[in-house]
Amino acid sequence: MMIPRHSVGMKYSDYWPYIASRFAPWIYRSQDISAVTASLMPKATTLGTPTGRHALWYFLDLKDYPLGSEVLISAYNYYVVVRLVVQAGLVPVFVDIESDTLCMDPNDLAKKITPNSKLIITTHMFGNPADMPAICELANQNNIDIFEDCAHAVGSYIGETHMGQFGSGALFSFGVAKIVNCFGGGMLALTDNNDKAYQPPRHGAGFRHSMTDTFARVLLTTIYHPKIYKMTMLPLVKWGNALSRRGKHWLRNLISPSKNDGAWFFEPDKRAEFKPFMVSMLSRQLSRIEENVSKRRRNVSKMKSELVHHPEIQLLNEDKHGHSNGSYFGVYCESKQQLSEYLLAHNVDNNPQEFFDCSALAQFSEFKADCPNAQYASQHLIRLPSQPTLEAHQLNTIIRLLKGFSTDHARK
C-alpha cells in the first residue's frame, strides 16, 4: 500500500460549512475572522484573502514602497513569492538560509542591508520558526519593515507568541496541502496599529469560475482522505512512479507540478474569493490545532530519534528558535534522487524538489546571488510523510526504509 506524503487531518464534520453554504449562504455572512484568530494572534487584525499570495500583494499595496526599493527575501523559497515582489516593481535581494532550519540567516541578512532596503520577507519554512528576535533587531536598527510568510506556520510559536506577530504583516494559506485546509483562501495579518483599518481591494474569479475553483479543492481534499486515496490517487501515483523510473515523467509532473514556472504572472482575479464559510472551517480546525501539531511532532520526533546515528540522512533542527508545528518534515541526503526513487519503489511517496534556491533560478538571473546553504537545500533536501493520519506501521515502514538506504550507502 502506497504511503502518501500528504493526507488531510480533517474530520467529516469540517465539510459541513461548505455543504451548508450551498443551501443557506447567509448563515455565515456575519462570521468575523478576527474573532476566530484572536486567541491565537491577539496582537494582529486578520483579513480573509483569496490566497496567501493575495495577502502579500495587498500588504505591498498598503505600504506602497517606492519603485526600485529593495526587499530582502529568503533564497530558499517558493518562486511565486519572489515573482510577486518583482511584479510590484521592487528589487529582491536574496538572503541565505540557516541550513538546519531552512529559514533566513540573520548573519547573512546583516550583510545584505543597504540604505535602499525597505522590507524583509522572512519565511517560516516547513513551519520552522525563523530567528525572529535577531531579524527584528536588525530591522529596528535599520528602520525596515518585516513581513512574515506563515504559509506553513499555523501552530508554530516562539515563546508564547504565535508566528505572524513579529513584523508589520504576515500571510497565511489555507490550501489543500496546508496544516489548516479551508478548501482555499488565505489570510493577511496586520500588527501595525496604523494599518489595521486597511481594507484590501476586492478580488475573485467570476461566480462560475469561483464555484468550480472551490469545488476542485473540495474534491482534491476528499481524494486525499486515507480511506479514499487508495481507490483514487493511489493508482495514478503508482503508475506515475512506474513511468518515472522508465524516464517518462509526464504523469508524475501532472500530479505534482514543478514549483518553477518562469512564465507565471500574478492575476488577482484568477482565484476564488475568500468565502464566509471558510471562517467556520478555520474555527473548527483551530480548535484542534494543538492535537494536530502534537501528532505531527510526535511522528517527526520518532523518525529523528531512530535516524540520529545514520549520517547518510542529515536531520534538521526544527525547534532551534521556537516550537515548530511539524507541518512538513525534511531531511538532507547527498544521494537525494536515489533515495526518492528507492522510497517510491517501496511505495512511500515523497517530494525530492519541494522548493528551489531562487537566487540561482534563470527567471531571477538579474538578481542572482551566492547563497550556498539555499543551494544545498535545493539539491539535497527531500520531504517525507509526517502527517497526523500516519499509522504506526506506516511510520515504522518509513523508518525501516530510511535506515536500510543509509546502511546500504554507508557500505559503498
Side-chain angles (χ1 to χ4, degrees), residues 359-373:
S359 71
L361 293 180
Q363 60 174 302
F364 302 123
S365 59
E366 181 181 352
F367 315 106
K368 185 175 176 64
D370 182 25
C371 297
N373 289 338

Side-chain angles (χ1 to χ4, degrees), residues 347-367:
N347 294 325
V348 176
D349 199 10
N350 60 87
N351 194 333
Q353 194 64 70
E354 189 73 15
F355 300 103
F356 289 86
D357 172 14
C358 292
S359 71
L361 293 180
Q363 60 174 302
F364 302 123
S365 59
E366 181 181 352
F367 315 106

Side-chain angles (χ1 to χ4, degrees), residues 52-62 84 87-88 203 266 268:
R53 64 196 66 168
H54 280 78
L56 174 56
W57 187 254
Y58 294 153
F59 182 82
L60 296 177
D61 169 70
L62 166 65
L84 279 173
Q87 190 174 327
H203 287 121
F266 180 62

Side-chain angles (χ1 to χ4, degrees), residues 25 305 312:
S305 66
E312 187 70 20

Side-chain angles (χ1 to χ4, degrees), residues 267-279:
E267 298 178 83
D269 291 315
K270 285 294 185 180
R271 293 290 291 272
E273 70 278 6
F274 185 89
K275 296 180 171 64
F277 78 82
M278 293 176 176
V279 178

Side-chain angles (χ1 to χ4, degrees), residues 236-247:
L236 287 176
V237 170
K238 296 187 78 169
W239 186 27
N241 293 342
L243 289 174
S244 289
R245 288 194 292 272
R246 292 169 173 78

